[in-house]
Amino acid sequence: MTPRSWLFVPGHSARMMEKARGSGADALILDLEDAVAADAKPEARATVAAFLRDKPALPCFVRVNALDTGMTEADVAAVRERADGFVLPKCEGRADIAALAAMTGDAPILAIATETARGVRALMAEDWSHPALLGLAWGAEDLAADLGASANRDASGRYLSPFRLARDAMLFAARAARVAAVDAVHTDFRDAAGLAAEARAAETLGFAAKLAIHPAQIGPIHKAFTPAPERVAWARRVVSAMTGGQGVAALDGRMLDRPHLRQAEAILERVGAKG
């Protein structure tokens, strides 16, 4: 089943990584980038590598430092044999994905694609497809810094227009590349209602998952990104009605065609079900 939740865990904290084992998240992101001070990165690499020697059953990805820092290769070398995949921050296109894939031996990559203005422009202009690419994610905090913006949300909590544009561009690029689109972190982990609303809105648009920074966020994310039983039942009926047909069928008095079948198959894939 495709991960619905990706929980960031600071790579320098063995205690927090151990706690994350029981978080219920679908996947962990062991963070060697923003969560770790520059002088603590060598020790954090060793801490993450030690954790991965007895890693939990769930997928564990490692967020490496950006390619322009000169630290990426050391990050990969420390964990390459045990990590299930890698998260690439400040990714600015397919060439960056290819560069990390060459270091990792084509391990799965989740690329964070909206943290720079160049990255957002590339989302609109390039094909991001790559055999190692598992998904694209977006974030607004680093992009605000790159733009020189003092805020990324308005007084009501809604993302401001440049950040909505970046989010939309990433969604289109992900779907064009046929990979998962992963929604940004809801930074106020105490705001359960706001998180739930944001996650539901993302799921409605076609996002497959959401990033998290606290175990308390996992439950609301899973609820939002798990298709309701009635949607799963509808999907099964659509697949059954369309099987062996001529591309169209009728269900409950409504016509079905290929787009409905694709929707139904996507729902069943997300729950690991079969038609």
Side-chain angles (χ1 to χ4, degrees):
M1 188 168 68
T2 301
R4 300 158 295 176
S5 60
W6 295 79
L7 177 63
F8 280 107
V9 190
H12 66 275
S13 175
R15 179 186 64 82
M16 294 183 75
M17 285 189 283
E18 286 297 326
K19 185 177 180 181
R21 289 178 184 271
S23 65
D26 286 343
L28 301 182
I29 299 175
L30 311 177
D31 191 8
L32 295 176
E33 195 216 12
D34 285 348
V36 181
D39 60 356
K41 290 186 188 290
E43 184 178 351
R45 292 185 190 112
T47 302
V48 170
F51 176 76
L52 289 174
R53 279 195 283 272
D54 182 30
K55 76 180 188 68
L58 71 164
C60 291
F61 279 54
V62 175
R63 178 161 73 166
V64 296
N65 288 279
L67 293 170
D68 63 1
T69 65
M71 294 185 283
T72 316
E73 289 191 73
D75 294 339
V76 170
V79 301
R80 178 170 42 214
E81 301 305 318
R82 299 182 179 90
D84 293 303
F86 294 86
V87 177
L88 178 61
K90 300 174 180 62
C91 183
E92 295 183 343
R94 189 181 186 280
D96 287 354
I97 296 166
L100 180 58
M103 297 179 198
T104 66
D106 288 326
I109 293 171
L110 176 66
I112 305 179
T114 66
E115 294 183 310
T116 68
R118 287 178 61 87
V120 174
R121 290 189 66 190
L123 287 168
M124 302 175 186
E126 297 180 13
D127 180 0
W128 286 55
S129 302
H130 189 279
L133 186 64
L134 176 73
L136 291 177
W138 86 285
E141 309 308 314
D142 284 283
L143 181 58
D146 201 44
L147 292 176
S150 59
N152 53 40
R153 296 179 187 255
D154 63 20
S156 67
R158 187 167 184 261
Y159 278 112
L160 296 167
S161 60
F163 305 95
R164 295 199 305 272
L165 183 150
R167 179 177 184 254
D168 292 347
M170 190 230 70
L171 175 60
F172 278 108
R175 301 315 299 141
R178 298 292 185 262
V179 298
V182 181
D183 198 29
V185 164
H186 189 75
T187 55
D188 184 354
F189 63 83
R190 298 180 183 86
D191 178 20
L195 167 65
E198 192 170 278
R200 286 194 301 269
E203 191 275 339
T204 298
L205 290 176
F207 284 87
K210 192 166 180 64
L211 302 173
I213 55 171
H214 193 280
Q217 296 181 316
I218 301 304
I221 289 173
H222 285 184
K223 184 176 181 180
F225 286 96
T226 300
E230 57 269 23
R231 288 183 69 193
V232 176
W234 172 86
R236 290 184 184 277
R237 294 178 67 209
V238 169
V239 171
S240 178
M242 297 286 289
T243 298
Q246 301 300 313
V248 295
L251 182 66
D252 298 332
R254 301 185 64 178
M255 292 300 298
L256 302 174
D257 54 17
R258 292 293 301 175
H260 296 102
L261 179 60
R262 288 177 60 192
Q263 262 189 322
E265 289 173 338
I267 291 169
L268 296 178
E269 181 181 356
R270 284 172 55 190
V271 297
K274 295 181 180 179

